[in-house]
Amino acid sequence: MSMKRFRKLGFALGALSLLALGACGNATSNDAELVVALTGDPVRLDPHRANDAVSATAINSIFERLIRQDEKGGLHPWLATEWMRIDDRTYEFTIRQDVVFHNGEPMTVEDVVFSLRRSATSSVTAPITGGLDPEAIVVMDESTVRVGTFEPFVPLLSHLAHTAGNIVPQALVESDEEAFGQNPVGTGAFKFESWQPGERIQLVRFDDYYDGPVALERLAFRPITESTNRLIELETGQVHIALDVSPTDLGRIDSADGIELLRNTNLRINYLGFNTQMAPFDDARIRQAINYAIDQDVIIDGIMEGAATRALGPFSSEVWGYNENLTGYDFNLERARELMAEAGFEDGFETTIYVDTDITRQNIATVLHNQLLAIGIRAQIVPLEWATFLEATSSGNHAMFILGWTSVTFDADYSLFPLFHSQQFGASGNRAFYSNPDVDRLLEAARGELDPTARQAYYNEVQDIIVDDAPWAFLFVGESLIGASSSVNGFTPNPTAIHNFNYVTLD
């Protein structure tokens, strides 16, 4: 099937890709290398010590989880063949017995228990799996693991399908955790070969993969921070897939021979975050004023070329738990100036906007800089490399920053708890350092509420509070924009922006 035909079918192929899950191996070998251009270099390749989209893309080609989530949010067996809920706090998982790690050692139930306990206690992944009770994760027999939570935790299964749920070999990690992050060993269809930071991550086909070897012989990830450079490399055949194409290059791709544009709605909310612990952003009136001062349509039409929709609240309407009654902030300079004056800043103030090297975010920062001048806010743009940006915004010393968050579990808990609960400050997700006791209480209650209607009511109230408190300026929900060579077959973009390359072949 040609890529052009595949692009037209879009998510209609989702059902076909599910049928392929039972037979990952491909009878026809494709002794070629697929090269994928990333937007930056991974922070680490350890699934329990990294939680950013760039790292996850590489990590999820090396490691696997008990449960796999498809492009629609459906859950399917993976390293677990089945599971059963014992009670409100407990599940039992039946573990595959034919799986080996890339070093040839068999994966055991002890590895599963170790991995889930490690994930639940990691400062990086605890926002996803911290509801697990490490003492209640135990081996029942050689093929069964029992997993318990501190409290009833409704979205448990979707959280175990997150990158944080990847299974690692206990012996290797315990022998040298730092070395493991640089030389990862998993159970995936591709195994790690080498990593030249800033240059290339090289993976090779794992011939002992339990579902049979995949078609591609090699898979490489190249960090190319400049969107224009990613596109040039795609046009010249140096890469086959370029992730996160700049909206300004859409016309260029459409008119080019030999490459295709893959475009679909994603689950990423894009926002301008405020350090709510730092003056003057500790005053909700300042944060509300900034929301009113931003004309989202200028960003959507001028920067995103229409490949986005206005954000009315903290996550996409495609995610379960979305509040359908949100109205968001209209562009209203008069109201913005009133709020600035009420807060004692009628003449504005000077501040900074931290942004990474992504050209689209830098362009957004420029638009925001110009729009905020209308209410007297003079914001200096501070560009930082990805890893430095993440460190800086987790430290609490920043003022404003531009970032996105993808609701990879398709559930409101992951869209809200890591970002707005007061126990999740910094690297855990709450880089706004936002704290509201009512939000904490509601988020905790929603996690354990088994009645979907009551759970939805909790999330509706939480979103109303967050929109009013405005720890962010809510910008837009974007689209996945991916450039791909016409020689690429079998690639289905994932709305979580964490893609699967197991079924790709090259002409």
Side-chain angles (χ1 to χ4, degrees):
M1 181 184 293
S2 73
M3 180 58 69
K4 184 178 291 292
R5 174 65 174 157
F6 188 87
R7 176 168 63 100
K8 291 179 180 178
L9 288 175
F11 282 121
L13 284 183
L16 294 180
S17 67
L18 292 184
L19 294 176
L21 287 174
C24 177
N26 193 317
T28 303
S29 178
N30 188 208
D31 295 331
E33 177 179 66
L34 178 73
V35 183
V36 179
L38 304 177
T39 59
D41 215 19
V43 177
R44 293 185 182 90
L45 295 180
D46 183 334
H48 305 143
R49 300 184 69 194
N51 186 30
D52 63 284
V54 174
S55 299
T57 299
I59 284 171
N60 282 353
S61 294
I62 301 170
F63 296 92
E64 295 176 317
R65 302 171 289 288
L66 299 183
I67 300 170
R68 191 195 67 82
Q69 194 163 41
D70 65 33
E71 294 84 1
K72 300 293 186 181
L75 300 174
H76 307 273
W78 204 356
L79 293 181
T81 58
E82 59 183 357
W83 52 85
M84 176 175 61
R85 195 172 90 179
I86 305 301
D87 55 43
D88 290 351
R89 301 186 186 187
T90 313
Y91 277 84
E92 281 190 359
F93 294 86
T94 302
I95 309 303
R96 293 187 66 117
Q97 297 297 290
D98 56 348
V99 180
V100 295
F101 287 108
H102 297 151
N103 62 354
E105 295 295 322
M107 184 195 74
T108 66
V109 287
E110 287 78 14
D111 293 311
V112 173
V113 168
F114 170 80
S115 298
L116 297 184
R117 287 178 175 176
R118 182 174 185 252
S119 177
T121 55
S122 163
S123 62
V124 176
T125 53
I128 302 99
T129 53
L132 299 176
D133 177 1
E135 298 301 318
I137 305 173
V138 296
V139 172
M140 301 301 292
D141 56 46
E142 64 181 11
S143 64
T144 309
V145 168
R146 176 168 287 185
V147 177
T149 59
F150 289 110
E151 302 292 341
F153 185 51
V154 174
L156 172 64
L157 296 180
S158 61
H159 280 233
L160 291 179
H162 185 278
T163 305
N166 277 318
I167 305 305
V168 300
Q170 179 177 359
L172 278 181
V173 174
E174 288 185 329
S175 66
D176 193 333
E177 187 174 55
E178 286 300 321
F180 181 79
Q182 300 297 316
N183 297 276
V185 173
T187 63
F190 295 96
K191 65 180 180 179
F192 176 83
E193 183 176 76
S194 62
W195 182 9
Q196 297 172 279
E199 297 292 333
R200 191 182 192 91
I201 296 171
Q202 186 67 60
L203 310 182
V204 297
R205 181 171 58 212
F206 182 40
D207 289 333
D208 292 328
Y209 188 56
Y210 60 86
D211 228 4
V214 296
L216 286 172
E217 182 179 20
R218 303 171 73 81
L219 171 62
F221 297 103
R222 289 184 52 199
I224 304 174
T225 57
E226 295 283 346
S227 175
T228 300
N229 290 341
R230 289 197 297 277
L231 184 54
I232 291 172
E233 294 287 274
L234 178 63
E235 290 172 329
T236 58
Q238 302 304 304
V239 304
H240 300 99
I241 296 174
L243 302 181
D244 290 328
V245 171
S246 171
T248 58
D249 291 325
L250 298 186
R252 179 173 168 181
I253 293 177
D254 279 339
S255 63
D257 292 330
I259 61 176
E260 302 284 344
L261 174 66
L262 309 182
R263 177 174 176 173
N264 62 272
T265 301
N266 63 30
L267 304 179
R268 181 186 298 165
I269 181 77
N270 296 270
Y271 64 92
L272 173 69
F274 311 115
N275 186 341
T276 61
Q277 303 289 322
M278 177 185 291
F281 301 105
D282 56 349
D283 190 328
R285 292 171 297 185
I286 295 294
R287 306 192 299 263
Q288 293 166 352
I290 292 174
N291 270 280
Y292 281 119
I294 294 173
D295 187 344
Q296 295 166 302
D297 291 338
V298 171
I299 297 172
I300 292 170
D301 296 334
I303 303 298
M304 300 306 297
E305 299 287 339
T309 57
R310 290 182 65 229
L312 303 180
F315 60 91
S316 165
S317 60
E318 300 294 318
V319 175
W320 185 90
Y322 180 77
N323 183 347
E324 298 288 349
N325 296 317
L326 292 178
T327 57
Y329 287 85
D330 292 327
F331 176 53
N332 189 334
L333 278 180
E334 181 179 354
R335 181 58 181 148
R337 289 169 179 146
E338 289 175 355
L339 288 165
M340 290 287 288
E342 288 176 18
F345 287 92
E346 58 273 9
D347 295 326
F349 55 86
E350 293 185 354
T351 186
T352 57
I353 300 175
Y354 282 15
V355 65
D356 65 78
T357 55
D358 179 78
I359 187 62
T360 300
R361 286 189 181 143
Q362 291 192 5
N363 289 339
I364 292 169
T366 300
V367 171
L368 294 177
H369 164 86
N370 293 332
Q371 291 186 345
L372 294 182
L373 288 174
I375 58 172
I377 296 177
R378 301 170 295 282
Q380 177 187 358
I381 299 170
V382 181
L384 300 169
E385 292 295 328
W386 179 240
T388 305
F389 172 84
L390 292 178
E391 176 62 29
T393 54
S394 67
S395 68
N397 296 320
H398 58 291
M400 295 191 289
F401 63 98
I402 298 174
L403 196 53
W405 182 269
T406 303
S407 300
V408 295
T409 66
F410 289 81
D411 186 275
D413 181 82
Y414 187 66
S415 304
L416 295 170
F417 198 96
L419 298 168
F420 302 107
H421 195 285
S422 63
Q423 294 178 356
Q424 307 301 315
F425 284 176
S428 296
N430 188 350
R431 296 171 193 270
F433 292 83
Y434 170 71
S435 177
N436 183 313
D438 288 335
V439 168
D440 288 354
R441 173 182 56 81
L442 290 165
L443 289 177
E444 291 163 9
R447 281 190 150 188
E449 180 54 66
L450 299 177
D451 180 1
T453 301
R455 191 166 179 249
Q456 177 71 66
Y458 283 132
Y459 285 133
N460 285 347
E461 187 174 354
V462 166
Q463 290 167 77
D464 286 338
I465 295 171
I466 289 172
V467 170
D468 187 58
D469 279 351
W472 296 352
F474 310 99
L475 300 180
F476 61 89
V477 176
E479 295 183 14
S480 292
L481 303 175
I482 299 172
S485 166
S486 297
S487 65
V488 174
N489 301 289
F491 173 61
T492 304
N494 194 299
T496 67
I498 301 173
H499 308 290
N500 186 337
F501 303 101
N502 286 8
Y503 311 108
V504 175
T505 60
L506 292 172
D507 290 337

